[in-house]
Amino acid sequence: MDFAPSLEKLINEFSKLPGVGQKTAQRYAFKIINGTKEEAEAFAKALIEAKDKIHYCSVCGNYTDEDVCEICKNRKAEIVCVVKDPKDVIALEKAREFNWGYHVLHGTISPLKGIMPENLNIKTLLKRINDGEIKELVMALNPDIEGEATAMYIASLVKPMNIKVTRLACGIQAGSEIEYTDYVTLTKAFNDRKPI
Amino acid sequence: MDFAPSLEKLINEFSKLPGVGQKTAQRYAFKIINGTKEEAEAFAKALIEAKDKIHYCSVCGNYTDEDVCEICKNRKAEIVCVVKDPKDVIALEKAREFNWGYHVLHGTISPLKGIMPENLNIKTLLKRINDGEIKELVMALNPDIEGEATAMYIASLVKPMNIKVTRLACGIQAGSEIEYTDYVTLTKAFNDRKPI
């Protein structure tokens, strides 16, 4: 059916969000239409402001609206997790058991997609290591070809700088069933088996 | 984890949308942050404009950004479906086989929720009937207590005005299985059985 043009436009904007189809976009748009004018304005303002203010932290590359993000400001991190995306920081923060820090690469090396090392946030990582605070880099990159290649590349770069380089363990997932675990994971879990 | 304040605000706005939790809201917000400034501005503009321009059609009560909506403007509707919400118009438009029209009540009578007939868009319906174009009202209200009560109320109002009042048939759903159909529906389907 034909919606009123301004409603159609709003539905169209919502449907650009990841995983949002026409029907969900309609639902969201109706929520806005049924809300107050102030609510719509607050939403619009939040959109503009977030886009205006959010940029990369000059130290770690995570999102921040200041020069240096809260994590870099407040944590003296000797162990730094190297991640692909700010989303990975969120996941790791949930798991955090002590004060590790982060370094966000904003991608992984992928010659096919035209992403080369110089397109990644690696320079500031080297600077951080040179500054001498970091004792260990933990490669927290996805266990796929691009993640492994990037981890290897960075490891080869920083090893001469005399710091420890590790990566997250690969193995069976917490709560999973061995019956349904793929053989690559099982092989890795077997190879990395630990004494009990 | 703590997000940068302006990112937090945007996530918060997204999480007010129906069915959107913290994680989905984060996903949406990251989409905006990763997009261009122009895209964020277009989205913000669509929000403001939709809320500014969209109001109820002066004839049928559906959403429009003009005085009279496209449907009322272009269709001479002798049969009018009375619906609760603009969302119901969308569903019925998909089923539409000929040029029926709509009248949106924006609710159903519910004394418990404080919604009385005078809170609904009924006056303009009576005016439309008085104007003489409508030959039949089809009650397309949800088959629940409030929907039935509203249908009965409107029927009692308009019957003296000498027009036909009907309601959507109740019965088994297309593609459903009788085994799993509830007994209320089966009773209604039995009572409304049709010769073949």
Side-chain angles (χ1 to χ4, degrees), chain A residues 3 5-6 16 18 20 26 28 30-35 37 41 43 47-48 51-52 54 63 65 90, chain B residues 3 5-6 14 16 18 20 26 28 30-35 37 41 47-48 51-52 54 63 65 90:
Chain A
F3 293 101
S6 51
K16 289 178 191 167
V20 174
Q26 282 170 23
Y28 293 169
F30 280 130
K31 173 70 169 44
I32 300 298
I33 299 291
N34 289 327
K37 197 177 163 176
E41 281 167 354
F43 197 159
L47 277 167
I48 300 274
K51 189 60 211 165
D52 260 3
I54 295 289
Y63 290 141
D65 43 15
I90 301 171
Chain B
F3 293 101
S6 52
F14 274 123
K16 290 179 191 166
V20 175
Q26 282 171 21
Y28 293 169
F30 280 129
K31 172 71 171 40
I32 300 297
I33 298 291
N34 289 327
K37 199 178 162 172
E41 281 168 352
L47 277 167
I48 300 273
K51 190 59 211 165
D52 260 3
I54 295 289
Y63 291 139
D65 43 16
I90 301 170

Side-chain angles (χ1 to χ4, degrees), chain A residues 4, chain B residues 55-75 128:
Chain B
H55 51 254
Y56 298 159
C57 165
S58 63
V59 177
C60 73
N62 196 6
Y63 291 139
T64 177
D65 43 16
E66 295 168 85
D67 178 45
V68 175
C69 74
E70 288 295 313
I71 294 178
C72 290
K73 240 193 270 178
N74 299 326
R75 281 186 215 162
R128 282 176 86 178

Side-chain angles (χ1 to χ4, degrees), chain A residues 40-187:
Chain A
E41 281 167 354
F43 197 159
K45 197 174 153 222
L47 277 167
I48 300 274
E49 282 201 357
K51 189 60 211 165
D52 260 3
K53 291 190 183 167
I54 295 289
H55 51 254
Y56 298 158
C57 165
S58 63
V59 178
C60 75
N62 195 7
Y63 290 141
T64 178
D65 43 15
E66 294 167 88
D67 178 46
V68 175
C69 75
E70 288 296 312
I71 294 178
C72 290
K73 240 190 273 178
N74 299 325
R75 279 186 215 163
K76 193 177 136 41
E78 300 190 334
I79 300 182
V80 164
C81 297
V82 176
V83 298
K84 182 183 174 192
D85 277 321
K87 290 170 202 174
D88 302 326
V89 175
I90 301 171
L92 283 163
E93 274 294 273
K94 279 187 201 139
R96 183 165 64 95
E97 286 192 349
F98 59 99
N99 280 338
W100 61 52
Y102 300 97
H103 195 85
V104 184
L105 298 178
H106 295 287
T108 40
I109 299 169
S110 172
L112 277 178
K113 293 182 196 149
I115 306 173
M116 306 305 287
E118 56 268 27
N119 304 119
L120 302 179
N121 184 28
I122 293 178
K123 261 188 209 160
T124 51
L125 178 61
L126 300 181
K127 187 179 168 299
R128 282 176 86 179
I129 297 170
N130 268 329
D131 289 351
E133 200 167 87
I134 301 177
K135 300 240 165 75
E136 178 178 346
L137 276 192
V138 183
M139 296 296 155
L141 300 166
N142 295 337
D144 52 20
I145 295 172
E146 296 169 358
E148 304 265 331
T150 310
M152 288 302 171
Y153 175 81
I154 293 177
S156 69
L157 271 189
V158 303
K159 272 210 173 140
M161 299 165 94
N162 221 351
I163 64 163
K164 201 171 157 189
V165 182
T166 57
R167 68 163 163 199
L168 293 185
C170 263
I172 51 176
Q173 286 198 298
S176 69
E177 294 186 46
I178 288 176
E179 182 184 352
Y180 301 117
T181 306
D182 66 287
Y183 72 94
V184 181
T185 303
L186 283 177
T187 308

Side-chain angles (χ1 to χ4, degrees), chain B residues 173-192:
Chain B
Q173 286 197 298
S176 68
E177 293 186 46
I178 289 176
E179 182 183 351
Y180 301 117
T181 305
D182 65 288
Y183 71 94
V184 181
T185 303
L186 283 177
T187 309
K188 290 191 178 183
F190 180 85
N191 289 338
D192 289 351

